[in-house]
Amino acid sequence: MLSSPNEDRAVRITTRRERGALVLTVSGDLDIDSVSPLGLALTSAADDGSGPVVVDLSGVGFADSTTVNVLLQGHTALGGDRLRLAAPSPFMRRLIAMIGLDSALPVLPSVDDAIDAVLPS
């Protein structure tokens, strides 16, 4: 588990392997001061191999443009269609829709859907 150096932000990222995918479960508020563990987890996943990388966003209460940049950088580092966003919280659904992030990254309603998705290359 990774957490931000600023513990009062309560950002937590837990990782697990499930059916060939790496699932990163993120909770807390993500901003410039607290998003670095997510960037590290995505970099580690890129260095680690193949298979889908699913970011479970159900526990994210807030995110800013820094978070969007980290997700886009992770997508680039992972290559192809490996990065999938799953189960976005209500805040994340609004953010994703507002900026059109779903045109750059696959956003699926659940972790299971994200793991099982067959995405166009």
Side-chain angles (χ1 to χ4, degrees):
M1 176 171 50
L2 299 171
S3 62
S4 72
N6 188 353
E7 290 301 321
D8 65 316
R9 292 284 196 170
V11 171
R12 297 272 186 263
I13 301 174
T14 57
T15 61
R16 71 180 189 278
R17 291 267 176 201
E18 186 174 330
R19 299 190 326 265
L22 176 64
V23 179
L24 307 174
T25 302
V26 184
S27 63
D29 292 347
L30 296 169
D31 62 22
I32 193 167
D33 295 323
S34 64
V35 75
S36 63
L38 178 58
L40 292 172
L42 291 171
T43 299
S44 177
D47 293 342
D48 208 22
S50 61
V53 176
V54 176
V55 181
D56 177 354
L57 297 170
S58 61
V60 176
F62 173 82
D64 67 1
S65 62
T66 309
T67 305
V68 173
N69 286 333
V70 164
L71 291 170
L72 291 171
Q73 289 169 357
H75 173 66
T76 300
L78 287 161
D81 62 354
R82 289 184 59 204
L83 184 62
R84 297 130 187 237
L85 307 182
S89 66
F91 178 87
M92 288 303 299
R93 275 196 307 272
R94 286 189 305 275
L95 178 64
I96 288 165
M98 183 174 59
I99 64 171
L101 186 59
D102 53 347
S103 67
L105 299 173
V107 181
L108 296 120
S110 73
V111 170
D112 285 337
D113 289 337
I115 291 171
D116 296 336
V118 177
L119 303 173
S121 323

